[in-house]
Amino acid sequence: MMGGNVGGAAQKKRQRVGSNSRLSSTAAVVIDSSRADGTLTEVFHKSSSIRRSNSHSLLPSSSAAACGGFNDSATADVILRLYLEKPPPFEPDDSESAVDSVDQADVQVYLHSDVIRRSKYFAALLSDRWQGHSGDVNSEGSRKKYQFNLGVAATSGSIDSHLTVLQLLYTDDFSTAIDSVSTALSILPVALELLFEDCARSCVRFLEAVPWSEEEEKRVLSIVPFLRDEESQELLARVLPAKNDSSEEMLYGLILAAIHNHPNMAFAKAFVAKLLRDFSSRESARRVLDRAFEKSLKIVKESLEEYSSPNFRGDHNETEAIQRLNLHTAMTNGRHLLWLVERMIELRVADTAVKEWSDQASFTADLQRAFRDDAWRNIVPGLPAIVLRCTSKLANAVVAGNILAPGQVRMKLVKDWLPVLIACKDNVSSMVPNHKLLYSELEQTFLKIISTLPLLDAQELLQQCLSFSTRNAEDCPHLVNAFNTWFRRATCSHQPEHHLRE
């Protein structure tokens, strides 16, 4: 019956700490004895029910000093044999590669019962062992010695990790031994197995305070299920998002910081652009960029509206200062808008931006009024180019097929922004000759979009494109081709075959 108690208790221990393969250093414990009375086989019957608690060490710091040191055979009263267990059936036997040498596969350690009681597992084991006995001195007056066999998993470093934890039972200073993440991850499972609370807390504190590699992070997460909630809270807070949209909030915050606050704006923008390209979820990137686009567009629109239709009263100097501020705000956020448009096109997520940009009748009207005024010329001379570059980027993406915009969106994109282009040509081109290429490219792009529209819509928009003409017709072949295409289609007598049948 005594032998049966040992087997059942060992199985309970294995279920408690060894059933999860992720906790690789844990192992079932087998208790054995060379004593004829078999008393050592009784003691494990209750120990399997021991659980971790929040209480502190059972041993004062001076207890280790009161007896011999670690592995002192002269004063030890406990002999612990560590051995590698054989792997379960049908699993590969990696025990040869799991140890550094043959000698390390079976180690005998000399310990002291007063010291190892710091481990609640050993404390419960020895306490039960001594129940019903008069003391720890045998009939000859000498101190009894007990023998334990502890089987550990046949994994790399398992014997060394157990030896380290056993040695830490003899000290209150864990900082020397726990000096790296790998060390903490190796001995923490053993400390949990032996219910060595002081050691487990020290390992957790170390892991909380230092950075981890990706592989170390996986090992930390594999051990977390064996920790109490209060122990694992800080570890999990590092790797688990506080809410589902944490990644999107982070990206959005980085975009705003890069375009608004960072002193080295160009470098910050380049870095955030790389993060967006490498981000795993394109839909998340789309939502973040749409949100930032709407924010910047709103600021530009409000600034231009206030500039074009001022609703304040004051002296001339104050009015001029406010108008200058409105123009500078529009210019600054216009640059941000252009960068966002480029990122959206690069990631092929500019569908919403095109739809928004094509529905800006009020905004484009404000722009036309602003460009007909001379005040902006000396304040933000680059503003027309900024808004037209945004238009050109989006329109080119539509023409290239990177954005599959519906016909109504394509029509409104040209209808709302063609007057802005014409106003810029009339009021800006003579002042900034370098804009000529931009205007020409946007003209060609608009004409290509017009060619995709129904003839009636194309007819209305082409009539507004006469301003694209030049003194010499040969200098505007894109305009000539656009009208030739429209007239060819309008005068075509050929009908599709199904119409002829009707």
Side-chain angles (χ1 to χ4, degrees):
M1 287 297 294
M2 291 181 182
N5 288 342
V6 172
Q11 179 64 25
K12 292 179 183 178
K13 179 69 175 176
R14 180 179 291 107
Q15 291 173 351
R16 183 172 70 84
V17 296
S19 60
N20 192 320
S21 61
R22 294 181 302 174
L23 196 58
S24 59
S25 295
T26 61
V29 178
V30 180
I31 310 299
D32 198 359
S33 174
S34 60
R35 294 177 59 86
D37 60 6
T39 53
L40 278 177
T41 62
E42 301 176 1
V43 303
F44 198 62
H45 181 70
K46 296 181 180 179
S47 64
S48 63
S49 64
I50 299 299
R51 295 292 185 269
R52 295 184 65 207
S53 68
N54 290 317
S55 59
H56 293 283
S57 171
L58 301 176
L59 182 76
S61 59
S62 60
S63 298
C67 61
F70 172 73
N71 208 24
D72 183 359
S73 60
T75 58
D77 61 343
V78 176
I79 301 175
L80 178 65
R81 171 178 168 256
L82 300 175
Y83 67 93
L84 293 177
E85 291 184 318
K86 293 182 179 180
F90 310 112
E91 289 191 9
D93 187 356
D94 297 330
S95 56
E96 292 184 3
S97 61
V99 293
D100 297 330
S101 66
V102 176
D103 293 337
Q104 286 183 319
D106 195 317
V107 178
Q108 183 168 279
V109 189
Y110 296 92
L111 304 171
H112 303 81
S113 59
D114 290 341
V115 175
I116 64 175
R117 289 179 63 190
R118 293 186 72 183
S119 157
K120 292 180 182 179
Y121 165 70
F122 282 127
L125 181 65
L126 292 172
S127 177
D128 286 350
R129 167 67 186 85
W130 290 332
Q131 286 183 4
H133 295 275
S134 57
D136 59 354
V137 179
N138 60 24
S139 58
E140 299 177 357
S142 60
R143 188 176 182 85
K144 295 179 182 180
K145 290 190 176 182
Y146 309 105
Q147 295 183 358
F148 299 82
N149 293 335
L150 178 60
V152 301
T155 56
S156 178
S158 57
I159 292 288
D160 289 339
S161 298
H162 279 73
L163 288 174
T164 299
V165 173
L166 292 172
Q167 190 168 3
L168 288 175
L169 288 165
Y170 286 78
T171 182
D172 286 328
D173 181 13
F174 302 107
S175 59
T176 302
I178 307 174
D179 59 356
S180 68
V181 175
S182 60
T183 299
L185 289 171
S186 296
I187 68 178
L188 177 55
V190 182
L192 295 173
E193 172 194 344
L194 300 180
L195 301 177
F196 186 6
E197 301 289 348
D198 292 341
C199 183
R201 278 193 295 269
S202 296
C203 290
V204 171
R205 281 199 301 268
F206 185 88
L207 292 173
E208 288 173 352
V210 298
W212 314 323
S213 68
E214 184 175 353
E215 187 60 35
E216 289 167 345
E217 181 174 311
K218 293 178 182 177
R219 293 181 62 189
V220 170
L221 293 178
S222 72
I223 296 175
V224 161
F226 299 91
L227 300 174
R228 292 188 293 266
D229 289 343
E230 62 270 22
E231 292 173 328
S232 62
Q233 183 176 3
E234 292 298 324
L235 300 177
L236 289 175
R238 186 188 300 194
V239 297
L240 297 182
K243 50 186 179 179
N244 293 335
D245 59 351
S246 293
S247 296
E248 293 186 16
E249 289 297 324
M250 180 64 165
L251 274 180
Y252 182 69
L254 289 173
I255 289 173
L256 294 186
I259 65 179
H260 288 294
N261 303 324
H262 204 278
N264 295 322
M265 188 179 295
F267 296 152
K269 283 182 175 179
F271 182 77
V272 173
K274 184 182 187 309
L275 290 180
L276 288 167
R277 287 193 299 271
D278 297 342
F279 196 64
S280 58
S281 172
R282 194 175 75 155
E283 286 305 310
S284 292
R286 179 197 300 273
R287 287 191 291 269
V288 169
L289 287 168
D290 283 346
R291 184 177 168 192
F293 176 85
E294 291 175 4
K295 179 181 176 66
S296 293
L297 178 58
K298 181 181 179 182
I299 296 174
V300 175
K301 289 168 60 177
E302 290 176 348
S303 301
L304 260 297
E305 183 180 3
E306 292 179 10
Y307 175 81
S308 301
S309 305
N311 57 0
F312 50 83
R313 295 181 179 180
D315 60 36
H316 176 74
N317 292 334
E318 182 181 359
T319 300
E320 184 178 357
I322 295 175
Q323 292 293 68
R324 292 176 68 90
L325 177 61
N326 287 329
L327 286 175
H328 279 297
T329 301
M331 182 66 183
T332 301
N333 285 275
R335 291 195 182 101
H336 304 334
L337 205 58
L338 178 59
W339 182 81
L340 290 169
V341 167
E342 291 171 344
R343 302 289 73 73
M344 298 168 94
I345 293 173
E346 179 183 28
L347 299 178
R348 303 176 74 94
V349 295
D351 308 68
T352 303
V354 168
K355 186 176 180 181
E356 283 288 321
W357 203 252
S358 68
D359 191 21
Q360 299 298 332
S362 176
F363 177 38
T364 54
D366 289 336
L367 285 170
Q368 293 175 68
R369 283 194 293 270
F371 295 156
R372 293 190 185 103
D373 186 7
D374 291 335
W376 62 271
R377 297 177 184 273
N378 296 324
I379 303 174
V380 285
L383 181 59
I386 288 292
V387 293
L388 288 184
R389 283 197 179 98
C390 290
T391 307
S392 180
K393 297 281 186 182
L394 293 171
N396 275 314
V398 170
V399 169
N402 294 333
I403 302 171
L404 301 180
Q408 187 68 14
V409 171
R410 299 196 304 272
M411 189 271 290
K412 284 185 61 61
L413 180 63
V414 178
K415 184 176 181 179
D416 284 357
W417 287 95
L418 179 56
V420 178
L421 173 59
I422 295 172
C424 288
K425 290 188 64 175
D426 292 342
N427 296 279
V428 182
S429 58
S430 60
M431 185 184 69
V432 187
N434 291 337
H435 291 171
K436 183 177 181 180
L437 178 60
L438 172 62
Y439 300 155
S440 176
E441 290 178 352
L442 190 51
E443 287 176 7
Q444 296 180 52
T445 303
F446 278 165
L447 290 172
K448 289 177 181 178
I449 292 178
I450 291 172
S451 72
T452 70
L453 301 177
L455 280 177
L456 289 178
D457 292 335
Q459 177 180 344
E460 176 187 351
L461 295 174
L462 278 175
Q463 290 175 358
Q464 301 178 45
C465 294
L466 282 178
S467 61
F468 297 174
S469 60
T470 60
R471 179 178 301 177
N472 186 349
E474 295 180 356
D475 293 337
C476 51
H478 52 289
L479 185 61
V480 173
N481 290 336
F483 277 99
N484 286 340
T485 299
W486 188 91
F487 280 112
R488 174 175 53 81
R489 292 172 177 175
T491 58
C492 180
S493 60
H494 175 70
Q495 297 293 330
E497 186 175 339
H498 69 277
H499 283 296
L500 292 176
R501 287 198 299 266
E502 294 176 357

